[in-house]
């Protein structure tokens, strides 16, 4: 069993309802090493942070090769399982999604998120059968590679306000039948809703947390298996950049730079 297989099995074992895996999403090698040094058990990428750092908007606008290059750099930077947010798969057809997953596995990742939202301007969700075909292609690609990939199926019903809990659960069940291992439902941290999803979905539930969300301990009591911070960390980092720019170019002061990680700390983290 090679190192990637070991990390894949390790990552799979971390999804325990009531003992959530907390993922502080990274977007480059430095942020990945910072997260790892803080004691993370795994590292996840944020597609939005990756896209922004490479000069593109989020929403399947980034070229596959560029996204995979970042995943490769993150996986090489840490000695932890890495799961990659691959948006809706960087391709129109199931075969395209399979090609993406093959490249992501070759880059060293052991998990992926695949969402069911379209990014064609309409904001609609893909039909269930279409999304199931894409997820089945992911599973087939992983099987061909011989890697026990953890496939996290993202259901965007609540995030986009196009379906309630019953529609979310129906899609989750279909995606699990198509080969998903877990279900990611962004768009709610309401305890009653989260508890209903945990009770109805027969797989580890992933929620998206941030300011205003219940603490991890409360989400654990609700039975959540995975808590992601998504793009929020990248957003906070870019907020510091904006505050620093506005302050320096306006008042000519530098208070926004207080409490920064110092040069030596970051530089030392980046040594092999």
């Amino acid at each position: 069993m090679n190192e990637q297989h070991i990390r894949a099995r390790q990552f799979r074992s971390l999804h325990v309802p009531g003992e959530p895996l907390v993922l502080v999403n990274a977007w480059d090698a430095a942020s990945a090493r910072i997260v790892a040094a803080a004691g993370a058990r795994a590292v996840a990428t944020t597609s939005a942070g990756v896209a922004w750092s490479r000069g593109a908007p989020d929403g399947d606008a980034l070229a596959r090769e560029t996204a995979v290059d970042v995943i490769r750099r993150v996986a090489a930077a840490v000695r932890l399982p890495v799961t990659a947010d691959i948006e809706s798969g960087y391709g129109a057809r199931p075969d395209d999604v399979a090609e993406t997953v093959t490249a992501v596995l070759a880059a060293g990742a052991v998990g992926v998120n695949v969402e069911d939202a379209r990014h064609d301007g309409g904001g609609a969700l893909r039909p269930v059968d279409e999304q199931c075909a894409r997820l089945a292609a992911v599973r087939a690609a992983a099987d061909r590679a011989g890697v026990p990939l953890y496939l996290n199926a993202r259901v965007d019903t609540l995030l986009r306000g196009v379906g309630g809990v019953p529609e979310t659960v129906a899609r989750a069940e279909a995606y699990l039948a198509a080969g998903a291992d877990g279900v990611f439902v962004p768009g709610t941290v309401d305890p009653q809703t989260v508890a209903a999803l945990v009770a109805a979905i027969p797989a580890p539930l992933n929620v998206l947390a941030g300011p205003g969300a219940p603490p991890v301990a409360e989400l654990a009591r609700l039975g959540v298996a995975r808590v992601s911070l998504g793009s929020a960390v990248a957003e906070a980092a870019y907020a510091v950049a904006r505050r620093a720019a506005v302050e320096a170019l306006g008042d000519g002061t530098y208070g926004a730079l207080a409490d920064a990680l110092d040069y030596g700390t970051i530089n030392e983290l980046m040594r092999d």
Side-chain angles (χ1 to χ4, degrees):
M1 188 181 299
N2 64 29
E3 187 173 351
Q4 187 177 26
H5 282 72
I6 293 170
R7 290 184 182 178
R9 294 183 183 279
Q10 177 188 357
F11 186 65
R12 182 175 295 273
S13 73
L14 296 175
H15 292 79
V16 180
E19 300 177 16
L21 169 64
V22 179
L23 294 172
V24 181
N25 301 68
W27 60 95
D28 61 9
S31 58
R33 286 203 171 174
I34 288 168
V35 169
R41 296 186 289 168
V43 171
T45 64
T46 159
S47 66
V50 168
W52 298 334
S53 72
R54 301 307 297 268
D58 192 28
D60 283 337
L62 194 65
R64 174 198 290 143
E65 295 76 13
T66 304
V68 170
D69 178 64
V70 175
I71 294 164
R72 182 179 297 109
R73 291 171 186 272
V74 168
V78 297
R79 295 183 176 86
L80 293 171
V82 170
T83 184
D85 180 348
I86 60 170
E87 307 188 44
S88 67
Y90 301 116
R93 302 171 301 130
D95 285 351
D96 297 326
V97 182
E99 186 175 342
T100 296
V101 170
T102 299
V104 167
L105 288 170
V110 297
V112 292
N113 282 6
V114 182
E115 64 192 60
D116 60 0
R118 294 184 183 277
H119 296 286
D120 54 8
L125 303 187
R126 294 181 187 276
V128 172
D129 58 349
E130 180 181 323
Q131 183 66 6
C132 285
R134 296 167 75 84
L135 295 175
V138 172
R139 179 55 60 207
D143 289 346
R144 286 193 295 272
V147 178
L149 176 82
Y150 189 93
L151 171 52
N152 203 32
R154 177 170 145 176
V155 184
D156 272 11
T157 45
L158 300 183
L159 183 66
R160 292 176 179 257
V162 295
V165 169
E167 171 68 11
T168 303
V169 172
R171 281 180 173 263
E173 291 176 339
Y175 298 166
L176 292 168
D181 297 294
V183 175
F184 181 22
V185 183
T188 186
V189 288
D190 170 68
Q192 185 174 351
T193 304
V194 171
L197 292 171
V198 168
I201 296 173
L205 178 68
N206 183 183
V207 299
L208 181 66
V216 171
E218 184 176 343
L219 294 172
R221 286 193 293 272
L222 295 171
V224 170
R226 178 164 157 173
V227 177
S228 300
L229 301 192
S231 62
V233 182
E235 290 166 6
Y238 291 128
V240 172
R242 183 172 69 176
R243 286 196 298 271
V246 169
E247 182 182 0
L249 296 171
D251 296 339
T253 55
Y254 323 102
L257 301 177
D259 302 319
L261 280 176
D262 65 84
Y263 172 92
T265 297
I266 299 173
N267 210 44
E268 195 60 33
L269 276 176
M270 300 312 296
R271 298 189 190 279
D272 292 330

